[in-house]
Amino acid sequence: SYKLTQPLSVSVALGQTATITCGGNNIGNTNVHWYQQKPGQAPVLVIYRDNNRPSGIPERFSGSNSGNTATLTISRAQAGDEADYYCQVWDSGVVFGGGTKLTV
Amino acid sequence: QLQLQESGPGLVKPSETLSLTCSVSGVSISISDNYWAWIRQPPGKGLAWIGSIYYSGNAYYNPSLKNGVTLSVDTAKNQFSLTLRSVTAADTAVYYCARVSGRIAAHFGNWGQGTQVTVSS
């Protein structure tokens, strides 16, 4: 079955840029979606189809996808961005990455 | 505004059957061209897809759970449901229902708040 690999944790200084990766075999050939989950809350979609932001998501959130790695980039990181982030693809079923804890 | 709300028992005994329902408001399940999904999250762990269903009843399941899982839709009540048979402690999790924003391979655009289910005698 298809596997998505995310770093367990990423740290970023306030106001700096955070990069969270999602690795998968030829992931660049499929659509990748990203979710933010804060403690005790349901996940929230922050990026869909590689690089699209739903309404209400700040422009600071962006995504890219090429080769074997998809990337979620959070510019000008704020304390409120501290959360778990999950990537997701479809490969004969929904596949989630293991999640990355972002510390600001 | 689209809203999803999970409901069901918070405590289930091992070997019994878990049944959860997701009530959808703000859109008709039978009109919207969406799939509807169940996702769970064991304590301290990541997200795990259980399955997705269309209003017609066409469903996709996570192969690792398929044998014990059934999804169903009640268009009259604008609800969809999850049945998980022969539960074990490993089924303890927060269960979320969600809307797939389009075809089966699309993203989860809307989520319910989640419901905690504990499997214990």
Side-chain angles (χ1 to χ4, degrees), chain A residues 14-96:
Chain A
L14 195 65
Q16 297 304 302
T17 298
T19 299
I20 299 174
T21 58
C22 176
N25 187 37
N26 292 320
I27 196 173
N29 292 337
T30 191
N31 290 320
V32 178
H33 319 299
W34 291 91
Y35 304 89
Q36 175 194 70
Q37 186 181 33
K38 296 181 179 180
Q41 298 184 19
V44 172
L45 179 72
V46 293
I47 292 289
Y48 65 97
R49 293 202 299 268
D50 297 344
N51 55 17
N52 295 276
R53 278 179 293 103
S55 60
I57 300 301
E59 292 183 6
R60 301 185 296 104
F61 288 79
S62 62
S64 63
N65 184 17
S66 179
N68 293 317
T69 305
T71 302
L72 173 68
T73 301
I74 306 172
S75 304
R76 302 182 299 283
Q78 301 178 359
D81 299 331
E82 202 162 271
D84 294 327
Y85 291 84
Y86 295 89
C87 57
Q88 178 243 312
V89 302
W90 172 269
D91 181 76
S92 301
V94 172
V95 181
F96 286 104

